Amino acid sequence: MKLYQVRKGQFVYYNNELHKVYVVKPMYKLSVHLIKLRDLTQHITNAVSVEKYKPNELDSFIFNHKAYTLRKDRKAEAGDYILINNPMPDALDTYSLNEIELVETADNKGVITSNSHGVKHNEYILMVPGRVADSNPIDYKDKEKVEEESMTDIGTLSLPNSELLPSLGDIYKKKDNNSLFEAMVIAINDQTVYLGGGFEIAQEELMNTEKWEFLYNLLDK
């Protein structure tokens, strides 16, 4: 790409992985500053090293270690993440293309995000947790070039969220013999997960599929 074609907020592939442009500094040789969506790490490169991608409905990707699918079949509610793909901010808002924001409140006109931005329903596309069966994974431009270990990771991401980091609203079942114990994730603090009923558990233990089974996320209902 030419430098004048690179814009803040664009999704691009860099080193075969999906990133987002967060700033362009034309005066520098390495002028394109990126955030890798998978883990939010920052990278610096030049325009010729990136290739633009426009996200579409049913695209799925990892954002901050969790899988999401882009959907247009319902409006966002409190607790949802949105991708602002059609920004039309008013004078009091500062959001821009492809910003990912958490919804705090929603009504018929639009949503208010955790950054106090008012976003109309026609300005965003909903990020639904997990990957639906007919989604299009866009984490890598060329999956054949991905190392075997990474390809294994892609495969697990199509499974339920039990293979991913816990999130608020996740319902887990303890897999002890004859156990009927189920609990919801109500808070997360660093590596500690707080379950309903006053239980605390290490994140690593909750992700052990031999001990705990992920059932569903309450926000998906």
Side-chain angles (χ1 to χ4, degrees):
M1 291 177 64
K2 301 293 185 180
L3 182 58
Y4 64 81
Q5 296 175 313
V6 182
R7 295 287 184 271
K8 177 182 177 181
Q10 287 177 331
F11 278 23
V12 298
Y13 286 110
Y14 169 64
N15 287 343
N16 202 36
E17 290 197 64
L18 189 66
H19 292 68
K20 190 178 80 167
V21 178
Y22 74 88
V23 70
V24 180
K25 298 183 177 180
M27 68 288 297
Y28 295 103
K29 183 176 181 180
L30 296 178
S31 53
V32 181
H33 295 233
L34 306 171
I35 295 178
K36 186 192 296 185
L37 292 179
R38 171 179 291 272
D39 55 15
L40 303 187
T41 55
Q42 298 183 18
H43 305 269
I44 303 176
T45 186
N46 50 35
V48 298
S49 299
V50 301
E51 183 174 342
K52 182 172 64 174
Y53 180 82
K54 183 179 180 179
N56 301 290
E57 185 178 15
L58 292 181
D59 282 348
S60 63
F61 57 91
I62 302 299
F63 170 66
N64 195 19
H65 304 286
K66 296 211 67 173
Y68 294 89
T69 300
L70 300 179
R71 304 293 296 262
K72 293 183 178 180
D73 52 0
R74 73 171 177 85
K75 295 178 180 179
E77 301 173 355
D80 287 334
Y81 278 101
I82 58 173
L83 174 68
I84 305 175
N85 64 329
N86 183 35
M88 295 181 287
D90 60 28
L92 299 179
D93 289 315
T94 58
Y95 59 85
S96 58
L97 178 66
N98 288 338
E99 290 198 23
I100 295 174
E101 300 208 10
L102 180 65
V103 175
E104 284 199 343
T105 62
D107 58 26
N108 291 333
K109 295 182 179 180
V111 303
I112 303 297
T113 72
S114 57
N115 290 327
S116 299
H117 290 144
V119 183
K120 295 180 287 294
H121 290 303
N122 64 345
E123 294 183 78
Y124 68 81
I125 187 168
L126 183 64
M127 294 171 55
V128 177
R131 295 189 195 257
V132 300
D134 54 350
S135 69
N136 172 41
I138 61 171
D139 305 272
Y140 301 98
K141 183 178 184 297
D142 187 349
K143 298 179 181 63
E144 295 181 357
K145 293 183 179 180
V146 181
E147 296 179 355
E148 183 177 355
E149 181 179 352
S150 297
M151 286 301 294
T152 301
D153 182 45
I154 294 176
T156 61
L157 293 173
S158 64
L159 298 175
N161 288 354
S162 56
E163 299 295 331
L164 303 170
L165 298 178
S167 65
L168 299 183
D170 283 352
I171 307 296
Y172 285 87
K173 176 182 178 181
K174 194 169 179 60
K175 297 178 70 173
D176 290 343
N177 291 334
N178 301 320
S179 174
L180 298 177
F181 177 75
E182 296 181 8
M184 181 177 73
V185 176
I186 59 174
I188 301 173
N189 183 15
D190 196 15
Q191 299 299 309
T192 302
V193 180
Y194 298 87
L195 303 176
F199 295 94
E200 299 180 18
I201 188 173
Q203 179 175 278
E204 182 178 358
E205 181 177 352
L206 187 61
M207 295 177 65
N208 186 336
T209 56
E210 295 182 357
K211 296 182 178 180
W212 292 87
E213 177 185 358
F214 172 84
L215 299 179
Y216 59 89
N217 185 284
L218 192 64
L219 299 177
D220 294 342
K221 291 295 187 179

